Amino acid sequence: MRNVVILGSGPAGLTAAIYAARANLHPLVLEGSQPGGQLMLTTEVENFPGFAEPILGPELMQQMRRQAERVGAEFVAEDAVAVDFRARPFRVQAGNGEVYEARAVIVATGARARMLGLPSEQKYLGRGVSTCATCDGFFFRGKRVVVVGGGDTAMEEALYLANLAESVRVVHRRDQLRASRILQERAFRNSKIEFVWNHVVEEILGEDSRVTGVRLRHTHTEEVRELPTDGVFVAIGHVPNTDLFRGQLELDAAGYVVLKRGMMTSVEGVFAAGDVHDHTYRQAVTAAGYGCQAAIEAERWLTQQG
Ligand code: NAP
């Protein structure tokens, strides 16, 4: 039996692994079949403290993984496919059929950006198409950008980008925003932000490896038009990776893990860290901080259990 099994290998999971390993808990990390989390999809990371020069997302994750391994974390390159948190020890089944028993579990399976589902969006992802203004906005200084979406995330992205870009156009599929009143008002007041109502993005247009525009379709008239832009920020929500925990852990209406006390979930001994519970900050550095907290709390809880 393991003291701690950690599900996920983004900044939250790997930081939890570093702390749990250094607390002598010999953690096992189910790192997933696509390890490293969302940073594997980014290029240069300039906002993770400790790197005076930009570091590539995949390189940062490789460093974190090596660090966790060096201090004694063990890794299995499998997804968790089933969990049983109803009885102790907890049970986690990996994709290869192996079942791991654990005294404590740290859930750090993250979230993924909801995407429009266009092949052109995948083609230009990281090359003009982004899902994170805080991560990539800097590359669009003085350029034209489009933000897709009408919720709080879209408004926050638009407001952040308005400080950097030459112009920000928010493309929304209706003529009313879903965002909270305060963010709506801030966006309406910002002279850099323009709204394109009742339109959906039908295609992202590009030349070689850069984005040049979007093809929009009016949702009522079906009229199609092109809008030139240098970047597209898709901000139509995030989807937490929590399907596995349905019926086992309390989730909120949007599917995020609900924390009860510190980083503890609705099941005592199961902790959560990172984007799987946090839809507010969603930064590598905050996820790493949550991973640290979850590991410290798991260690204290295990000590109390004797
Ligand atoms: P959201 O509230 O679900 O909004 C998603 C937006 O994207 C909606 O405007 C939706 O349009 C649009 N959309 C969804 N699918 C689309 C598609 N396929 N094509 C075009 N448009 C699409 O998501 P969110 O903005 O990420 O917010 C998620 C949660 O986090 C919310 O509870 C939000 O309040 C919270 N949050 C809070 C803050 C804050 O308080 N500072 C910041 C960020 C997020 P419709 O409106 O037509 O459905």
Side-chain angles (χ1 to χ4, degrees):
M1 188 179 21
R2 294 282 172 162
N3 288 313
V4 183
V5 168
I6 297 167
L7 309 181
S9 57
L14 292 182
T15 307
I18 292 165
Y19 274 78
R22 295 187 80 258
N24 224 14
L25 293 173
H26 307 292
L28 178 76
V29 183
L30 260 70
E31 62 181 336
S33 48
Q34 292 174 308
Q38 294 179 79
L39 276 188
M40 300 301 280
L41 306 174
T42 6
T43 51
E44 293 190 338
V45 179
E46 293 183 324
N47 54 7
F48 198 89
F51 298 91
E53 295 301 321
I55 181 166
L56 293 174
E59 165 72 8
L60 177 59
M61 295 322 296
Q62 200 182 26
Q63 289 286 345
M64 269 191 218
R65 190 186 184 285
R66 280 176 50 202
Q67 189 178 358
E69 214 167 20
R70 191 178 69 77
V71 292
E74 272 180 66
F75 288 85
V76 178
E78 292 286 341
D79 289 315
V81 293
V83 296
D84 188 353
F85 296 154
R86 286 168 299 193
R88 292 194 211 149
F90 304 123
R91 289 159 68 87
V92 177
Q93 190 185 338
N96 59 4
E98 195 84 34
V99 174
Y100 299 96
E101 290 189 336
R103 295 174 66 209
V105 172
I106 297 175
V107 171
T109 47
R112 55 191 188 279
R114 184 176 287 132
M115 302 303 288
L116 296 164
L118 307 169
S120 51
E121 171 187 56
Q122 287 307 316
K123 182 174 170 194
Y124 293 110
L125 194 60
R127 299 187 180 91
V129 174
S130 170
T131 54
C132 175
T134 336
C135 316
D136 300 326
F138 195 63
F139 305 118
F140 295 90
R141 274 168 302 160
K143 298 192 174 173
R144 301 159 300 180
V145 296
V146 159
V147 174
V148 188
D152 280 334
T153 302
M155 292 313 105
E156 281 196 338
E157 300 280 270
L159 287 161
Y160 185 87
L161 289 164
N163 285 329
L164 299 162
E166 177 197 87
S167 69
V168 180
R169 291 203 176 88
V170 176
V171 175
H172 184 36
R173 63 184 177 184
R174 294 185 295 136
D175 63 359
Q176 262 186 348
L177 296 174
R178 177 179 296 279
S180 54
R181 180 70 65 85
I182 181 157
L183 285 178
Q184 290 198 22
E185 282 171 2
R186 247 181 248 162
F188 289 146
R189 269 202 311 269
N190 193 307
S191 61
K192 284 257 193 89
I193 302 176
E194 231 180 85
F195 286 83
V196 182
W197 303 110
N198 298 314
H199 278 82
V200 288
V201 175
E202 210 176 54
E203 204 68 76
I204 290 161
L205 310 169
E207 254 169 32
D208 305 324
S209 59
R210 72 186 180 92
V211 167
T212 56
V214 283
R215 192 163 69 232
L216 303 179
R217 184 170 47 81
H218 196 286
T219 48
H220 303 325
T221 66
E222 301 291 322
E223 197 179 314
V224 171
R225 66 167 167 133
E226 287 183 10
L227 188 68
T229 187
D230 303 299
V232 180
F233 286 80
V234 179
I236 59 172
H238 280 77
V239 188
N241 299 318
T242 52
D243 288 350
L244 190 61
F245 311 113
R246 262 178 213 289
Q248 302 263 349
L249 298 179
E250 187 178 331
L251 307 177
D252 70 13
Y256 288 88
V257 172
V258 173
L259 298 181
K260 292 292 180 184
R261 180 159 40 90
M263 310 308 286
M264 184 103 75
T265 67
S266 56
V267 174
E268 196 166 314
V270 177
F271 301 82
D275 288 12
V276 76
H277 73 82
D278 162 40
H279 55 69
T280 308
Y281 303 109
R282 291 200 302 249
Q283 300 300 301
V285 67
T286 49
Y290 288 130
C292 160
Q293 280 176 248
I296 290 175
E297 289 183 22
E299 192 268 326
R300 289 181 184 161
W301 182 78
L302 284 167
T303 306
Q304 277 168 16
Q305 301 300 301

